[in-house]
Amino acid sequence: QQQVKQSPQSLIVQKGGISIINCAYENTAFDYFPWYQQFPGKGPALLIAIRPDVSEKKEGRFTISFNKSAKQFSLHIMDSQPGDSATYFCAVAQGGSEKLVFGKGTKLTVNP
Amino acid sequence: KAGVTQTPRYLIKTRGQQVTLSCSPISGHRSVSWYQQTPGQGLQFLFEYFSETQRNKGNFPGRFSGRQFSNSRSEMNVSTLELGDSALYLCASSLVPGFYNEQFFGPGTRLTVL
């Protein structure tokens, strides 16, 4: 049973465009929703994270939108740049646990 | 500050052998977690250690084991290797568990089982 469903699998965006990646979860006990970015040959790196007490969090060009009732959260990358080309993973966790449950990932390609 | 270090970076083994992977967390970090990354299954949690104790374990067979030392360094062991164990094994460290402190991932060990 897949606890976190991430879409799309791949995404191609033009430079300057908006990239949107979505995730949906089932377990309402999850209370931590991070997004990770992974470049080839590297481990994932935390990009931005949100707790369920807020509906949106913005850090620079990256924004998380969180819809608790729909059990969905999304990552928006504004003014996408070729350097943003990477694989993005959403994840969930609960109760302060270090155990992250990851989505399957989205490969983002930003064309110049 | 140095990042998470994993050794070796690449490893080739044959079926039936066993393997030990090593992880040195960021200085001062006391919590270490391990993940397996494959194209088919994605990133899957293996286990988490803090103060030399396993706090959490993922859904993997008993062939997968780990431990943590008093200096917070961690090792994971896979016995009786199978072809399906070929994967990137990632280690992540954080200050302490329980507070959603950022987890920092190492570059991983790429294990190939022939």
Side-chain angles (χ1 to χ4, degrees), chain B residues 70-84:
Chain B
S70 58
N71 61 358
S72 296
R73 193 177 68 84
S74 178
E75 288 181 348
M76 67 163 282
N77 184 278
V78 188
S79 62
T80 320
L81 284 166
E82 299 177 1
L83 294 179

Side-chain angles (χ1 to χ4, degrees), chain B:
Chain B
K1 189 185 266 189
V4 176
T5 305
Q6 292 188 246
T7 56
R9 290 294 310 278
Y10 303 91
L11 207 49
I12 299 176
K13 292 285 188 179
T14 56
R15 278 180 300 173
Q17 287 187 312
Q18 76 165 18
V19 67
T20 299
L21 312 182
S22 180
C23 171
S24 293
I26 291 172
S27 177
H29 284 195
R30 296 166 59 199
S31 175
V32 173
S33 299
W34 289 88
Y35 292 82
Q36 181 195 64
Q37 186 173 25
T38 60
Q41 298 300 315
L43 281 152
Q44 292 187 287
F45 174 82
L46 280 157
F47 21 66
E48 172 204 343
Y49 288 90
F50 174 69
S51 291
E52 302 176 65
T53 301
Q54 187 180 89
R55 295 184 75 241
N56 218 334
K57 190 178 192 303
N59 189 24
F60 279 83
R63 301 185 296 107
F64 291 80
S65 63
R67 58 178 177 169
Q68 186 182 35
F69 302 95
S70 58
N71 61 358
S72 296
R73 193 177 68 84
S74 178
E75 288 181 348
M76 67 163 282
N77 184 278
V78 188
S79 62
T80 320
L81 284 166
E82 299 177 1
L83 294 179
D85 297 333
S86 293
L88 181 67
Y89 289 88
L90 293 158
C91 168
S93 76
S94 65
L95 282 168
V96 290
F99 299 97
Y100 295 135
N101 289 313
E102 180 176 352
Q103 291 190 53
F104 293 84
F105 283 81
T109 294
R110 171 74 62 186
L111 172 64
T112 301
V113 182
L114 302 175

